[in-house]
Amino acid sequence: MMVQQEELYDVCWKKYPKYAFKDPAISSEKIQGIASSQPVASKQAYRPPSARNRPSVNFTLDDDQERSHKPGSDSQSKASLKQKKKREAKKAKKLEEGDDSKEISGPTVVSAVQINLTGDPEKDKKLKNIKKKLDAIEKLKEQQTLGKALEVNQIAKIKGEADLIKELEHLQM
């Protein structure tokens, strides 16, 4: 009578002496008729589907560099050249206006204020911040002398100039 068991209840290892079984010999020779499971990389460059049935174009980076440095070709785009011309025109206009505004406004006290750094990072930071505010006030004064209408907060900045100068003198002591 044969009883078939459907479940396994216990498993244990049998103990054998060390080196009782020989290590299997692995050969490095390829066996004929068995294909490798590793995919083989293609030797050709990738070509998108739209370019697969067309003749190939040989392109190297050196060719591109030679084309861009020919005497007749420009390496900058039209838009960048246009922006460059605008910047140069703006600088020229600013220089012309700067010369005119100096004649009209005259020297100001704020530009004569020099900050001397103390070596203390906290004080130096405050000094630089005050100097920046005084420079902004000077620009606002120049705009005011040119006849530009200033806003309420800008006028308040100009009125606070004396306080900033006092604070600057106090910090430099």
Side-chain angles (χ1 to χ4, degrees):
M1 175 156 116
M2 197 148 175
V3 178
Q4 289 184 342
Q5 294 180 341
E6 294 185 20
E7 294 184 28
L8 181 64
Y9 292 109
D10 194 15
V11 175
C12 57
W13 293 98
K14 273 189 168 182
K15 293 186 180 184
Y16 288 98
K18 198 172 188 179
Y19 304 112
F21 300 102
K22 294 181 183 177
D23 288 334
I26 300 174
S27 66
S28 61
E29 298 174 12
K30 290 186 178 180
I31 301 174
Q32 297 294 330
I34 299 177
S36 173
S37 62
Q38 303 254 335
V40 179
S42 174
K43 304 283 188 224
Q44 297 176 347
Y46 173 76
R47 292 185 54 133
S50 61
R52 288 186 183 158
N53 294 330
R54 295 185 183 159
S56 65
V57 177
N58 293 333
F59 175 80
T60 61
L61 292 175
D62 296 333
D63 292 342
D64 189 42
Q65 289 174 355
E66 288 172 8
R67 274 187 245 135
S68 67
H69 294 295
K70 285 183 182 175
S73 67
D74 228 356
S75 62
Q76 294 180 338
S77 67
K78 289 181 183 180
S80 65
L81 290 173
K82 189 175 180 182
Q83 289 293 337
K84 185 177 179 183
K85 286 180 183 178
K86 279 185 180 180
R87 283 192 301 269
E88 289 172 355
K90 196 180 236 185
K91 283 182 184 178
K93 185 178 177 185
K94 197 172 190 179
L95 287 174
E96 289 175 12
E97 288 179 359
D99 295 338
D100 297 341
S101 66
K102 286 180 184 175
E103 293 171 5
I104 295 170
S105 65
T108 59
V109 179
V110 177
S111 62
V113 174
Q114 296 292 324
I115 60 169
N116 299 323
L117 300 179
T118 61
D120 180 25
E122 292 288 326
K123 262 189 178 180
D124 291 346
K125 190 174 182 181
K126 288 179 183 178
L127 288 171
K128 287 178 184 178
N129 194 11
I130 291 173
K131 176 65 176 167
K132 191 188 305 182
K133 288 179 183 179
L134 289 173
D135 289 340
I137 290 172
E138 181 181 352
K139 288 179 184 176
L140 287 174
K141 281 184 175 180
E142 287 177 6
Q143 290 177 357
Q144 192 176 29
T145 56
L146 292 173
K148 183 179 177 187
L150 299 179
E151 294 182 13
V152 178
N153 62 343
Q154 293 173 326
I155 294 172
K157 277 185 183 179
I158 292 174
K159 289 180 181 176
E161 179 183 20
D163 295 334
L164 288 172
I165 292 174
K166 286 179 187 176
E167 189 177 347
L168 182 67
E169 290 172 356
H170 175 70
L171 284 172
Q172 285 183 337
M173 289 183 161

